Amino acid sequence: MKVVKGWTVIILCIVLSACAGSTEEEVPTEQPSESSEPERIEKEITLSAIGDILIHDRVYDDAETDNGYNFMPMLDQVEPYLNDTTITFANQETMLGGEEMGLSGYPAFNSPVEIGDALQEVGIDVVSIANNHTLDRGEEAIQNAIKYWEEIDMMYTGAYKDEADRDQVRVYDTDEGISVAFLAYTYGTNGIPVPDGKDYLVNFIDKTLIEDDIAEAKKQADVTVLSLHFGEEYERMPNDEQKDLAQFAADQGVDIVLGHHPHVLQPAEWVEGKNGDETFVIYSLGNFLSGQYEHYRRIGGIAKLTIKQTITEEEETIEVVEPQFMPTYVHDQDENNYEVIPMYQLSNKKLKDANKHYEEIKEHMAQWMPEMEFLEE
């Protein structure tokens, strides 16, 4: 080792002596070139959405216990498919006015507040409360419901306690760094008028209002989700008005449209906006939990989507990808033991020709979106 070092010193001296007499300019040391690859950040979240939570009197009667109301047995079988995404959304069709107002079913609903507890327990993060039953029991029921949603720290949208509440865009900030705005509107309130000077109590479908709200939402959030209570009850296909509103939403740059009101499933499709971006639209998510009897009104489902955000030096982009769906079925035994069951798990004992019905529903939901996958695990 010492010999090597000695020779190194001798050679270095010879080189330095030779260089001392040179008149050539010193060649600058070459700097490592910076990477030409632009910085690229990719983020991803998942969103689930379910349809109508429509609490008929026979449903809350079945949930009654000695200590209030327990809806969890009705939702146990679907809980694993609701709490495994970043955000889960539901359409809470009936107001949670609570027992103090007197519970009621159709046609003027008022539900126990415990349904809110059950939804939260199974993983719901955001509820829409803008629908045709919002004003069923007047302002008192709305205010009671909002008070309860606030007590359990549940984000609600579509109906509000005052103007300031109405003006606050609902933005869900995820741990992954992607923010999602939720907007909700209804076609009407079954002819019940809004009290004078209290338009904030419920959002109605009005293109000017929606356009303004979308513009504000896009300033505050990365993703915009629009819940629309629209269409014809019990019709399995969207009408022209639904199609028109979906196109309008896509033209405004909405990322996802979630439809409610028909109480039956309507298909999903991609709608291209005027700027070439595609909006995911599901026209109706059907009933998720209700006391309605007819076959198709017992069928709802869980829509699941992946939302990807890509950030480069030049731009930020949002993509909604990998649409998935799980059809569900509400089963009861003579208005007792209500339970929501994934359709792929249904036995012929609970629904005659269960697999045949399941395959028909899959075909119905994917008719405009053949790449849709169906969850079965």
Side-chain angles (χ1 to χ4, degrees):
M1 186 68 75
K2 289 180 182 178
V3 174
V4 172
K5 283 186 177 180
W7 277 108
T8 303
V9 172
I10 294 169
I11 293 169
L12 182 58
C13 290
I14 294 170
V15 171
L16 289 173
S17 299
C19 291
S22 173
T23 58
E24 294 181 8
E25 292 184 7
E26 188 174 333
V27 179
T29 304
E30 184 178 347
Q31 298 294 322
S33 61
E34 294 185 4
S35 171
S36 58
E37 287 290 323
E39 185 180 7
R40 181 184 179 91
I41 300 172
E42 294 183 346
K43 304 176 185 179
E44 182 177 298
I45 61 172
T46 50
L47 171 74
S48 292
I50 60 174
D52 307 334
I53 308 297
L54 187 64
I55 307 301
H56 291 84
D57 51 6
R58 47 194 170 272
V59 177
Y60 65 68
D61 284 345
D62 185 40
E64 188 173 10
T65 71
D66 293 337
N67 301 308
Y69 295 84
N70 180 14
F71 293 89
M72 280 304 299
M74 302 179 184
L75 301 172
D76 277 342
Q77 295 179 67
V78 289
E79 179 179 5
Y81 309 102
L82 294 172
N83 62 16
D84 63 346
T85 45
T86 314
I87 308 173
T88 305
F89 173 94
N91 177 51
Q92 178 56 51
E93 182 107 4
T94 54
M95 290 300 102
L96 275 56
E99 286 187 271
E100 64 189 74
M101 290 188 61
L103 302 181
S104 54
Y106 181 84
F109 290 93
N110 177 45
S111 300
V113 295
E114 287 91 338
I115 185 61
D117 299 325
L119 291 179
Q120 188 169 61
E121 189 169 342
V122 299
I124 303 301
D125 303 291
V126 185
V127 290
S128 168
I129 53 174
N131 60 76
N132 57 305
H133 292 291
T134 300
L135 283 169
D136 275 4
R137 297 289 298 273
E139 180 181 1
E140 183 182 358
I142 297 173
Q143 296 290 359
N144 284 2
I146 288 174
K147 181 180 177 182
Y148 198 77
W149 293 126
E150 290 180 334
E151 282 181 10
I152 66 172
D153 195 25
M154 175 76 78
M155 181 178 286
Y156 60 91
T157 185
Y160 308 95
K161 58 187 178 183
D162 53 36
E163 286 286 357
D165 193 30
R166 164 66 180 83
D167 292 341
Q168 182 180 344
V169 179
R170 283 2 189 210
V171 177
Y172 193 104
D173 293 309
T174 67
D175 293 338
E176 292 78 2
I178 299 177
S179 54
V180 184
F182 288 90
L183 305 171
Y185 307 83
T186 179
Y187 75 91
T189 52
N190 292 341
I192 302 172
V194 177
D196 289 342
K198 297 185 177 182
D199 291 346
Y200 54 80
L201 285 175
V202 60
N203 276 350
F204 289 102
I205 292 173
D206 174 274
K207 285 184 176 179
T208 301
L209 173 65
I210 295 174
E211 184 176 0
D212 290 344
D213 288 348
I214 291 170
E216 185 59 34
K218 290 174 74 65
K219 291 177 186 176
Q220 298 189 33
D222 301 310
V223 181
T224 304
V225 177
L226 180 63
S227 173
L228 293 175
H229 205 78
F230 63 173
E232 296 292 330
E233 286 188 319
Y234 319 130
E235 291 295 326
R236 299 185 67 210
M237 297 298 288
N239 60 24
D240 290 341
E241 183 181 11
Q242 287 171 276
K243 289 272 194 175
D244 175 72
L245 283 166
Q247 184 63 61
F248 172 77
D251 288 341
Q252 306 308 310
V254 167
D255 300 288
I256 297 167
V257 174
L258 304 173
H260 310 278
H261 179 59
H263 302 301
V264 295
L265 288 173
Q266 293 181 347
E269 71 172 337
W270 299 106
V271 177
E272 184 175 331
K274 62 184 180 183
N275 294 325
D277 297 326
E278 286 193 319
T279 297
F280 174 87
V281 178
I282 187 162
Y283 288 99
S284 175
L285 281 158
N287 286 333
F288 194 74
L289 174 60
S290 85
Q292 292 195 326
Y293 301 111
E294 196 271 337
H295 173 70
Y296 287 116
R297 300 178 208 175
R298 293 177 179 265
I299 300 173
I302 305 170
K304 289 180 179 277
L305 301 165
T306 297
I307 300 169
K308 293 184 176 181
Q309 182 185 51
T310 303
I311 304 172
T312 66
E313 292 179 0
E314 290 79 22
E315 62 179 353
E316 296 184 17
T317 59
I318 289 290
E319 285 184 286
V320 179
V321 297
E322 300 173 9
Q324 299 176 312
F325 195 74
M326 173 181 282
T328 57
Y329 185 84
V330 179
H331 179 264
D332 70 282
Q333 297 172 321
D334 297 325
E335 300 185 359
N336 291 288
N337 301 318
Y338 279 91
E339 55 183 346
V340 185
I341 307 170
M343 275 194 87
Y344 82 90
Q345 295 178 359
L346 268 179
S347 65
N348 288 333
K349 217 171 177 183
K350 293 190 173 179
L351 176 64
K352 185 179 178 182
D353 297 324
N355 190 64
K356 175 185 174 183
H357 291 296
Y358 174 50
E359 292 299 324
E360 189 265 330
I361 291 296
K362 289 199 295 182
E363 183 178 346
H364 175 66
M365 293 306 294
Q367 60 187 282
W368 297 329
M369 193 175 285
E371 73 274 26
M372 177 180 280
E373 295 183 359
F374 291 87
L375 297 168
E376 294 183 351
E377 40 176 76

